[in-house]
Structures are given as C-alpha cells and as structure tokens.
Amino acid sequence: MTISPLMPVYPRCEVRPVRGEGCYLYDEAGNQYLDFNSGIAVNALGHAHPELTKTIQDQAATLMHVSNLYGSPQGEKLAQKLVDISFADTVFFTNSGSEAIECAIKAMRAYHQAVGNDQCFEIITFSNAFHGRTLAAISASNQEKMHHGFHPLLNGFKYVEFDDLEAAKNAVGPQTAGFLVEPIQGEGGIRPASQEFMQGLRALADEHDILLALDEVQCGVGRTGAFYAYEHYDIVPDVLASAKGLGGGFPMGACLATEKAARGMTLGSHGSTYGGNPLAMAVGCMMVDTVGKPDFLSHVRIMGQKITQGLEQFIGNYPTLFESVRGQGLMLGIKMKVDSRAFVAHLRDNHNLLTVAAGDNVVRLLPPLIIDDSHIHDFMERLSAAAASYDVAVEG
C-alpha cells in the first residue's frame, strides 16, 4: 500500500500542533508558534479558551445529539440570538461553511419557484471567489484549480468580475435568481468590496426582485469588527452563510434568511443529521454572547487598527518584499512583491509565525480576536526578523 492513511489531499507542512493556549500553538517537541492563522479564521477566541471549553464539557455531559425529528430548545435559543443580532428572521443550522452555502443556494432557487418564477435559477457569482468544496460551491467559483477532476460542474452559475458593478448589472437576465458574494474575499486575497459595489448589488436585487446572498463564512462573527461584515456597507442581505468563528473551533455553520427569502424552504425541502445538535448550539450561544458584545467588537477594531498602522509603517523598510496592506478589523492581508507562499513558509519554518497564503499574492493575517498589545508586539518582532533574513536571501 502506497497511499497514506490520511487521504493525501492536503500539502501538509512539518508543523504538528498537539496543544494550544490562547494565541499560541505547541508542537510535539514543545516548540511554540504564534498563531496568526486561527485555523483559517475559526479559532476566534484562541485555543483552550476556558469558557468555551467549559461550555463544551457541560453540554457534552448533558446531551450531545438527538435528531431534528424532535423539538430543539437549544436550536431555538441560538436561532433567536442570531435573529436578534442580525437582519435575519429565520436560521438553518449546518456543520460547516460549505453546507451553509449549499443551503443559501437552495433557498435562492426555492424562493423563485415558490413565487412561480421557475425560470429564475441562475446565480451570479464573482471572480476569485471561494465558497467551499462541495460540487455546488466549486461550481459557484470561476477558479479552475478547484474544478480540475470534478467535471461536469453544476450549471446555473454566471461569473463576473468582482467589485465591478456595471458587469453585475449587465449579467442580470430573465433567468437570474440572485447574487452570491463575499463582502471581503478571503482566499481570493483579502479584497474588500467597495461601498458602491455592495450598495449597487442591493439596489439591483430590489429592482429585479432577485436575492442578495452573502458568503460571510470567513469575514463574519466579529472578524471585521462588526458582527457581520454587511453592517459596514449599510445594506441588508436576503440570505447569509455563516460558519468558522461561529463555533470557535467546534464544527458548525448557519444559513440566515429573511422571511421572504426563506419562502421556499418548507417542510422536507432541506435537512441535516448533525446540523443543530445540542452541543453545537451551546457553543454557538456562548460565541454569539461573547463576540456580539459591543466592547468585544470595539476591541477587534482597535487591534485591527494597531496592526494595520504598524504594518503600513513597517513595509516601507522592505520595498522589495512588500507592496501594501489591505483588509478590515482582524481580517488583514499583506500584498507581496515576492512569492507569498514562500514567505508564509519562511515565517512558519524559521520564525514560528503562522499565517496563511491567499490569492493575488497575499499573506493572510487572521489572528484570534482576543489578541492584545503583547501579541501585536510579538507578531511585529517575528515579522521584522523574518523580513530582514528573507530580504538578505532575496538580494543574495
């Protein structure tokens, strides 16, 4: 047998974490790493957060799973919290971001069929988007690297350029069901949409009676300094996919919708074996209660501003390495002039700083939302040492 027990679909690096504490990870040999990856925006409260750990322990000792055939006081509680903190009227719980996207796509199509617009099934998506790894999610992206090996893709998706309102307007036709867009592209390179673009999509959706669905799997749940990123744009979506930080490390997601948008999601139209289980719901309630506090969100904004200011002052010292800083809150990116993936590996292997590469030659910075000044100082020291050694290597 030549294949590994773990299916070889990930290019795993040599870092092998076995323990976490706050903003740090530790490997089998006890080496410490500053984690500015957070499981790709998942570990919003860092590692081994005492309140989150206790919530899981208490609920696991009480009830972990039953079935969605029965009433769900735990699910009702979390759904109400999300309704109260957002635009939504109703919520479907999933186990992941990809599942939340799947529910959003189904809700968009089901809405039009429920109102008699059976011809409206096409969803307009945007270049360099990442919506997950299910067949529907990769079909919703124009990235060929995700399509390879999985043809034929699902039809019913039309790709246009991200942040190009005129292209979006021209793409609307008699078969259009709505738009699916990330307010800030994550894997695509930490690319925030403009105010004009997001407000324009909302206006187009209203004009044509189509739906605006947001993928906030990565940028949601406090990551940008607002509970959901749409709040920065002074708009209200019809559907929103949420996950990652919503569970703080426990697998869960949610599809939020207005009453209008959920019109087609009737009895038997959708389901999940594990989605909405009591353990996930307890975790979600704790996360919403914690991250949703105004002081917590203010802290995210302040920390984000400090890192951004520090980076903007710093990158000028290395004009051959760095181009610019982008993003919002604690969802930040450094645009590189050298290969970003090689630099991410250099940070990790030589300076024990964990980041993650993204499209458009960007290094993603997604630290836990609980970082403080000491972590920012540690980050800047490690980054500075890494840049100095890398710059010498590049010049050499």
Side-chain angles (χ1 to χ4, degrees), residues 186-349:
E187 196 275 343
I190 311 296
R191 301 170 66 203
S194 65
Q195 290 280 334
E196 178 189 17
F197 181 67
M198 294 301 295
Q199 292 182 1
L201 292 183
R202 178 68 271 174
L204 284 171
D206 291 339
E207 178 185 351
H208 296 280
D209 191 24
I210 56 179
L211 301 182
L212 175 60
L214 303 186
D215 179 345
E216 294 221 22
V217 170
Q218 186 167 151
C219 65
V221 193
R223 178 55 54 183
T224 66
F227 194 82
Y228 283 121
Y230 73 81
E231 299 170 49
H232 296 297
Y233 293 96
D234 195 26
I235 62 167
V236 175
D238 301 295
V239 183
L240 183 147
S242 183
K244 288 190 179 285
L246 188 58
F250 190 88
M252 69 172 300
C255 179
L256 288 66
T258 63
E259 183 175 7
K260 172 186 174 180
R263 182 170 177 173
M265 302 303 281
T266 55
L267 288 176
S269 62
H270 198 45
S272 172
T273 296
Y274 296 106
N277 67 79
L279 184 50
M281 299 299 93
V283 169
C285 284
M286 181 265 164
M287 292 299 298
V288 173
D289 287 345
T290 301
V291 177
K293 291 178 179 176
D295 288 350
F296 189 98
L297 294 171
S298 175
H299 172 80
V300 172
R301 293 192 294 271
I302 291 169
M303 293 297 103
Q305 289 167 2
K306 287 185 176 182
I307 295 178
T308 300
Q309 290 168 1
L311 286 172
E312 287 176 341
Q313 293 172 6
F314 169 77
I315 63 174
N317 298 324
Y318 297 94
T320 62
L321 298 183
F322 307 117
E323 182 174 315
S324 60
V325 181
R326 58 174 70 163
Q328 191 155 14
L330 292 175
M331 185 176 181
L332 299 171
I334 307 173
K335 171 77 169 173
M336 303 293 296
K337 292 183 178 179
V338 296
D339 179 32
S340 63
R341 295 185 182 278
F343 191 69
V344 164
H346 176 68
L347 292 170
R348 179 191 69 225
D349 297 338

Side-chain angles (χ1 to χ4, degrees), residues 35-44 186-187 190 218-219 223 244 307 328 330-333 354-358 363-369 371 379:
D35 186 6
F36 266 47
N37 178 334
S38 300
I40 313 184
V42 169
N43 301 103
E187 196 275 343
I190 311 296
Q218 186 167 151
C219 65
R223 178 55 54 183
K244 288 190 179 285
I307 295 178
Q328 191 155 14
L330 292 175
M331 185 176 181
L332 299 171
L354 303 180
T355 59
V356 59
V363 174
R364 264 183 288 185
L365 307 176
L366 302 167
L369 304 184
I371 61 168
F379 163 73

